[in-house]
Amino acid sequence: MKIFAVADNYPIKGKGLLHSHPVVFTKADSALLKGGRPFFLPDELGRVDCGVSLVVRLCRLGKSIPERFAHRYYDAVTCGVDFTAVELLEKYKQQGLPWELCKGFDGAAVIGEWIPVAQIENVGDLHLHLDINGQTVQQAHTAQMFHHVDSLVAYISRYFTIRTGDLLFTGSPCETAPVAINDHIDGYLNDNKVMGFNVK
């Protein structure tokens, strides 16, 4: 299983599209956290922020998929959390170093319960929000994404063979929120709560 993720896929205040192509990175399979299991905050990574993301479950083997056929290659979506060691990430960006330690550590890719695509009218018109301790800290609307789901699937498949069970985190708005031990995090897709877990 591969975990793909996308950066800078939502507008930043005062700025337009930052990159002509999607900024794609990967997370280790050990980053996956599901089933409401707790997230253990790493001691050595400094401040860790959470970002809400639409997550897409890929369901077929594919390579170099035309965008017009991309919708055939995923079958379910959910709300996810992309955890980031933000201070370390800024340092690594300035030094031109890879992001894996900042974005792919254990538990850094949380997913909620899957909702079949057949039950959704349009993956390009979904609202997501993330609550910490009952307070909404981040919201997203998939219509705001620069690179929509089908274009991301097509783009990634140029470089990676997509396999059944691979996951795609489609990006988070820039206003991420810090987390602390004993926080409780809930994730919503439209008005459906699909995720709930504790920070330890």
Side-chain angles (χ1 to χ4, degrees):
M1 182 199 70
K2 300 182 291 298
I3 303 173
F4 302 105
V6 181
D8 299 332
N9 201 23
Y10 281 87
I12 298 174
K13 188 175 182 179
K15 297 182 180 180
L17 178 65
L18 297 181
H19 314 282
S20 58
H21 298 291
V23 178
V24 177
F25 59 97
T26 60
K27 292 175 178 271
D29 58 3
S30 59
L32 184 63
L33 188 66
K34 58 183 179 178
R37 296 199 306 271
F39 169 69
F40 289 92
L41 192 63
D43 294 330
E44 66 278 6
L45 294 182
R47 173 177 158 179
V48 173
D49 279 17
C50 60
V52 68
S53 178
L54 179 73
V55 183
V56 177
R57 184 176 69 191
L58 302 169
C59 63
R60 294 177 62 182
L61 181 70
K63 175 71 174 172
S64 299
I65 301 163
E67 186 173 331
R68 67 184 183 276
F69 297 136
H71 66 279
R72 301 178 181 177
Y73 288 81
Y74 55 91
D75 65 354
V77 296
T78 191
C79 176
V81 173
D82 175 12
F83 280 113
T84 304
V86 291
E87 296 166 331
L88 192 61
L89 177 62
E90 189 59 33
K91 176 181 176 181
Y92 278 25
K93 281 184 175 180
Q94 292 175 0
Q95 297 177 1
L97 297 174
W99 297 2
E100 278 81 1
L101 290 181
C102 317
K103 304 280 282 183
F105 51 88
D106 287 355
V110 188
I111 59 171
E113 299 173 8
W114 293 110
I115 298 177
V117 170
Q119 297 179 13
I120 295 172
E121 292 185 10
N122 181 3
V123 296
D125 185 22
L126 294 173
H127 293 271
L128 301 96
H129 73 270
L130 205 63
D131 291 1
I132 298 181
N133 304 324
Q135 299 294 317
T136 298
V137 297
Q138 194 180 40
Q139 300 181 70
H141 183 209
T142 57
Q144 297 175 316
M145 293 194 300
F146 291 123
H147 306 286
H148 58 79
V149 173
D150 289 359
S151 65
L152 290 173
V153 171
Y155 181 79
I156 290 170
S157 74
R158 297 183 201 171
Y159 307 98
F160 298 89
T161 297
I162 287 173
R163 299 184 186 279
T164 300
D166 288 348
L167 304 179
L168 169 59
F169 282 67
T170 58
S172 301
C174 60
E175 299 86 3
T176 57
V179 296
I181 292 174
N182 296 324
D183 280 345
H184 179 80
I185 298 177
D186 294 311
Y188 295 80
L189 185 59
N190 287 337
D191 292 325
N192 301 310
K193 179 181 173 181
V194 294
M195 169 196 299
F197 64 97
N198 296 314
V199 180
K200 299 288 189 180

